[in-house]
């Protein structure tokens, strides 16, 4: 197994159908903001992602991740919305874009 370079660039996986549906049905301004965030992510290293105060990469502890995934995280994708994702080697695998902040964490 290859060692992961913490200073290597993040690679994006946008193939999750739920994430695609969430992204593509955002209003134009929010969709544009989300794409700007994705563009920013692909130019960052993992160390930068962890430290970036604008993204606010946070582990979600309110629910157990699916089998095979160590942890699910949330990150700010627009001013009003957070996405869920997990790290898989050098990839960030995006899962959802929550309709509001609380739903990211499984709260009502």
């Amino acid at each position: 197994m290859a060692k992961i370079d913490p200073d290597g660039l993040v690679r994006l996986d946008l193939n999750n159908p739920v994430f695609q549906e969430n992204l593509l049905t955002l209003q134009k301004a929010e969709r544009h903001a989300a794409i700007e965030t994705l563009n920013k992510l692909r130019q960052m290293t993992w160390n930068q992602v962890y430290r970036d105060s604008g993204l606010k990469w946070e582990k979600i502890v309110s629910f157990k991740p699916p089998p095979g995934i160590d942890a699910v995280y949330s990150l700010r994708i627009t001013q009003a919305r957070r996405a869920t994702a997990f790290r898989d080697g050098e990839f960030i695998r995006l899962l959802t874009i929550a309709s509001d902040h609380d739903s990211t964490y499984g709260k009502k």
Side-chain angles (χ1 to χ4, degrees), residues 65-104:
I69 298 174
D70 292 333
V72 175
Y73 297 86
S74 74
L75 65 142
R76 181 182 290 153
I77 196 149
T78 71
Q79 280 296 107
R81 296 178 188 260
R82 296 186 67 79
T84 58
F86 66 97
R87 181 174 181 178
D88 183 7
E90 59 192 21
F91 282 89
I92 181 172
R93 304 218 186 262
L94 290 133
L95 302 171
T96 65
I97 299 174
S99 57
D100 61 70
H101 181 81
D102 286 345
S103 64
T104 304

Side-chain angles (χ1 to χ4, degrees), residues 6-80:
D7 293 315
L9 292 178
V10 170
R11 296 185 63 193
L12 300 178
D13 176 356
L14 312 176
N15 290 320
N16 184 294
V18 175
F19 176 79
Q20 290 176 4
E21 174 75 16
N22 295 162
L23 177 65
L24 297 174
T25 57
L26 290 173
Q27 293 296 316
K28 186 176 181 178
E30 272 198 303
R31 189 171 57 247
H32 181 74
I35 290 170
E36 288 295 314
T37 300
L38 295 172
N39 189 42
K40 174 183 173 179
L41 277 169
R42 70 180 193 85
Q43 298 174 61
M44 298 174 79
T45 67
W46 276 102
N47 281 335
Q48 290 171 324
V49 170
Y50 297 147
R51 291 191 315 261
D52 190 282
S53 61
L55 290 174
K56 297 193 182 298
W57 178 266
E58 300 173 347
K59 184 176 182 177
I60 300 175
V61 295
S62 58
F63 65 84
K64 185 177 177 183
I69 298 174
D70 292 333
V72 175
Y73 297 86
S74 74
L75 65 142
R76 181 182 290 153
I77 196 149
T78 71
Q79 280 296 107

